[in-house]
């Protein structure tokens, strides 16, 4: 039996025309030649330094031939590191009123937006496997979207949150919000017949990821919808993302016929959700003793990446409001959230890559000992044993904090003290 949904799917799956519609907004990332992790880069750098040291020692002994071989290896190591971390092809996506285009240079997909069943926002991609897809265009250190088409086809593509059009793209694809009107809608041109051409905010826009002077600037209303009706909530995604079912274009009403907020308010709401996501991701470093023991750099404001994150967090909190503000404050808040996401990603990536290696050997051993004692306490079979372990943890952490080796957040100190008090009380009652 053919249902209305079947007919809708068949219509949406029609082949795209050869002259794909102009893209209104786009966001792209320069993809490194390899997704090399921070540890691998550090290993290559260490190897290069070792080779340089050996070459220096041999050069002093007069063995020119061996020195030349090592110098060549040194050059290859640095060259490989530079190549692995340098930018290659562009990865990203662009949208128009009826089409979403995504992929990388020379490998583009064009889908009708009406063919999307849902679009899911995922957390920062850190490497590793993702669900099977027709195309996987991911760059480590960036969030990514998972696009689900009504016929079951899936695609993954990274999105640069710092791009000025990222919020507009997310609101349109995830919330189903209408695109803000361009002052001069782009006209089709011969450029659109080349499927490897990239566009950003207009038919003939620059292909740079963040154009400083877009040829067709967006015009967004700064006033909220008079009805104040909320947007339709999507079902949670599999990777802590948010998905909106039944994404369609060109409508200013939801599935129930209720009016949607203006685009500016939708972008502001999305910024609040992104703000909350960062706060949720950061909270374990503020309250969990084990996280501080494993990644002390995340709470050490003398480390530049951490200091920049704390400053970005303060800026975002200063711009945040409970009610939708005027246009200028809303734009400033969205900008602060984009900066916050980048600072958070950099700070956490650095903290996890260095672990406890930045500490002096003695301090690192004591912190490792505190972490082992914490695990022993959590698995202790008796209250008295648990109380002893927790007390030792508290003593070690207090000593490390007093010496300035680590910076322990107040909630972590409180959590350790509470564990000691409860364990001692339980042991005394036994």
């Amino acid at each position: 039996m053919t249902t209305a949904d079947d007919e809708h799917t068949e219509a949406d799956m029609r082949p795209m025309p050869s002259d794909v519609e102009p893209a209104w907004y786009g966001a792209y990332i320069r993809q490194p030649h390899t997704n090399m992790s921070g540890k691998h880069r550090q290993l290559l750098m260490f190897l290069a330094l070792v080779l340089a040291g050996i070459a220096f020692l041999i050069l002093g002994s007069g063995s020119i031939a061996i020195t030349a071989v090592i110098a060549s290896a040194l050059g290859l190591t640095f060259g490989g590191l530079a190549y692995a971390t340098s930018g290659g092809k562009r990865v990203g996506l662009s949208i128009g009123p009826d089409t979403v285009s995504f992929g990388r240079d020379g490998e583009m997909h064009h889908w009708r937006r009406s063919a999307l069943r849902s679009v899911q926002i995922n957390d920062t991609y850190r490497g590793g496997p993702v669900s099977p897809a027709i195309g996987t265009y991911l760059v480590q250190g960036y969030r990514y979207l998972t696009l689900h088409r009504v016929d079951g086809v899936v695609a993954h593509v990274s999105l640069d949150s710092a791009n000025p059009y990222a919020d507009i793209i997310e609101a349109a694809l995830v919330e189903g919000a209408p695109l803000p009107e361009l002052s001069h809608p782009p006209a089709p041109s011969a450029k659109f017949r080349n499927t490897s051409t990239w566009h950003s905010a207009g038919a003939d826009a620059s292909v740079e990821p963040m154009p400083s002077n877009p040829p067709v600037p967006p015009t967004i209303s700064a006033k909220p919808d008079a009805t104040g009706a909320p947007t339709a909530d999507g079902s949670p995604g599999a990777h802590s993302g948010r998905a909106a079912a039944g994404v369609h274009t060109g409508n200013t009403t939801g599935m129930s016929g209720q009016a949607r907020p203006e685009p500016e308010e939708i972008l502001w709401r999305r910024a609040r959700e992104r703000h909350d996501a960062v706060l949720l991701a950061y909270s374990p470093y503020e309250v969990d003793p084990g996280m501080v023991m494993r990644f002390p750099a995340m709470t050490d404001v003398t480390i530049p990446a951490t200091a920049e994150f704390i400053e970005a967090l303060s800026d975002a909190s200063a711009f945040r409001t409970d009610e939708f503000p005027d246009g200028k404050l809303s734009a400033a808040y969205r900008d602060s959230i984009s900066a916050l996401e980048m600072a958070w990603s950099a700070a956490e990536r650095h903290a996890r890559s260095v672990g406890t290696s930045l500490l002096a050997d003695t301090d690192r051993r004591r912190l490792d000992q505190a972490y082992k004692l914490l695990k022993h306490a959590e698995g202790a079979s008796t209250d008295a044993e648990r109380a002893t372990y927790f007390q030792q943890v508290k003593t070690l952490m207090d000593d490390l904090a007093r010496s300035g080796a680590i910076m322990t957040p107040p909630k972590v100190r409180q959590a350790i003290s509470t564990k000691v008090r409860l364990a001692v009380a339980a042991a005394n009652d036994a």
Side-chain angles (χ1 to χ4, degrees):
M1 181 178 67
T2 302
T3 65
D5 286 341
D6 293 331
E7 294 174 357
H8 175 73
T9 300
E10 291 172 3
D12 289 334
M13 292 301 103
R14 289 194 307 267
M16 292 297 299
S18 59
D19 52 342
V20 178
E21 70 163 1
W24 283 23
Y25 301 97
Y28 318 106
I29 305 166
R30 180 69 69 174
Q31 186 179 37
H33 291 294
T34 63
N35 274 326
M36 181 178 292
S37 67
K39 289 184 177 180
H40 289 159
R41 286 194 295 271
Q42 291 176 4
L43 180 61
L44 272 178
M45 186 61 69
F46 175 76
L47 177 61
L49 292 175
V50 170
L51 290 173
I54 295 175
F56 178 78
L57 293 176
I58 296 178
L59 182 61
S61 65
S63 180
I64 303 299
I66 298 179
T67 302
V69 171
I70 295 179
S72 298
L74 181 64
L76 289 174
T77 302
F78 276 118
L81 181 62
Y83 175 81
T85 56
S86 62
K89 294 184 177 181
R90 287 180 297 271
V91 169
L93 75 167
S94 60
I95 58 172
D98 301 313
T99 305
V100 55
S101 300
F102 61 90
R104 65 170 58 91
D105 286 333
E107 186 182 339
M108 291 294 296
H109 302 268
H110 305 284
W111 289 0
R112 297 180 187 276
R113 287 180 58 189
S114 58
L116 293 174
R117 185 182 74 242
S118 64
V119 177
Q120 172 186 318
I121 304 175
N122 301 282
D123 294 332
T124 302
Y125 178 64
R126 305 187 185 282
V130 293
S131 59
I134 190 176
T136 301
Y137 308 100
L138 302 179
V139 181
Q140 287 197 40
Y142 292 88
R143 295 187 307 158
Y144 66 98
L145 303 180
T146 298
L147 286 66
H148 298 266
R149 211 164 63 181
V150 293
D151 59 353
V153 177
V154 177
H156 307 290
V157 57
S158 290
L159 182 65
D160 182 6
S161 297
N163 188 285
Y165 305 118
D167 284 340
I168 294 174
I169 293 171
E170 286 189 7
L173 292 180
V174 179
E175 306 285 351
L179 288 177
E181 291 293 334
L182 297 174
S183 57
H184 300 287
S189 69
K191 231 177 183 183
F192 292 107
R193 292 176 174 82
N194 180 358
T195 58
S196 65
T197 300
W198 290 75
H199 314 282
S200 178
D204 299 307
S206 169
V207 297
E208 292 300 320
M210 295 182 63
S212 58
N213 186 23
V216 187
T219 302
I220 305 176
S221 171
K223 295 181 180 180
D225 194 332
T227 63
T231 58
D233 290 331
S235 58
H239 300 280
S240 302
R242 291 168 295 281
V247 178
H248 297 281
T249 64
N251 296 327
T252 58
T253 58
M255 298 300 289
S256 62
Q258 294 180 330
R260 291 185 181 275
E262 290 291 330
E264 183 74 15
E265 184 174 357
I266 293 174
L267 298 179
W268 172 76
R269 291 182 180 183
R270 281 286 304 113
R272 282 176 58 92
E273 293 175 2
R274 292 160 55 195
H275 192 172
D276 290 340
V278 173
L279 293 175
L280 182 62
Y282 176 55
S283 61
Y285 297 97
E286 294 186 294
V287 300
D288 186 349
M291 294 294 283
V292 175
M293 295 173 185
R294 294 172 61 201
F295 312 111
M298 196 63 246
T299 57
D300 189 348
V301 294
T302 65
I303 294 175
T306 302
E308 290 177 8
F309 164 66
I310 296 300
E311 182 178 358
L313 187 62
S314 177
D315 290 344
S317 299
F319 284 117
R320 179 164 179 153
T321 57
D322 293 330
E323 301 295 335
F324 176 61
D326 60 34
K328 290 184 179 180
L329 185 56
S330 174
Y333 179 56
R334 296 201 313 272
D335 289 344
S336 72
I337 297 305
S338 294
L340 174 62
E341 288 175 325
M342 293 183 66
W344 161 248
S345 179
E348 188 185 33
R349 186 165 58 246
H350 177 264
R352 287 181 173 272
S353 67
V354 300
T356 61
S357 63
L358 297 182
L359 301 178
D361 290 344
T362 301
D363 294 332
R364 183 169 62 253
R365 286 194 294 269
R366 296 173 72 191
L367 191 59
D368 289 343
Q369 182 183 6
Y371 183 70
K372 292 177 181 178
L373 289 169
L374 178 66
K375 293 304 176 184
H376 287 321
E378 292 172 349
S381 57
T382 66
D383 293 326
E385 184 182 6
R386 185 176 299 105
T388 299
Y389 283 137
F390 276 135
Q391 185 60 59
Q392 291 175 335
V393 169
K394 184 177 185 304
T395 299
L396 285 170
M397 293 297 286
D398 288 345
D399 289 345
L400 287 167
R402 277 194 296 266
S403 67
I406 63 172
M407 295 185 181
T408 311
K411 291 182 179 179
V412 168
R413 295 196 298 270
Q414 181 181 356
I416 296 175
S417 297
T418 300
K419 289 178 182 293
V420 172
R421 185 175 67 255
L422 293 176
V424 170
N428 291 336
D429 293 340

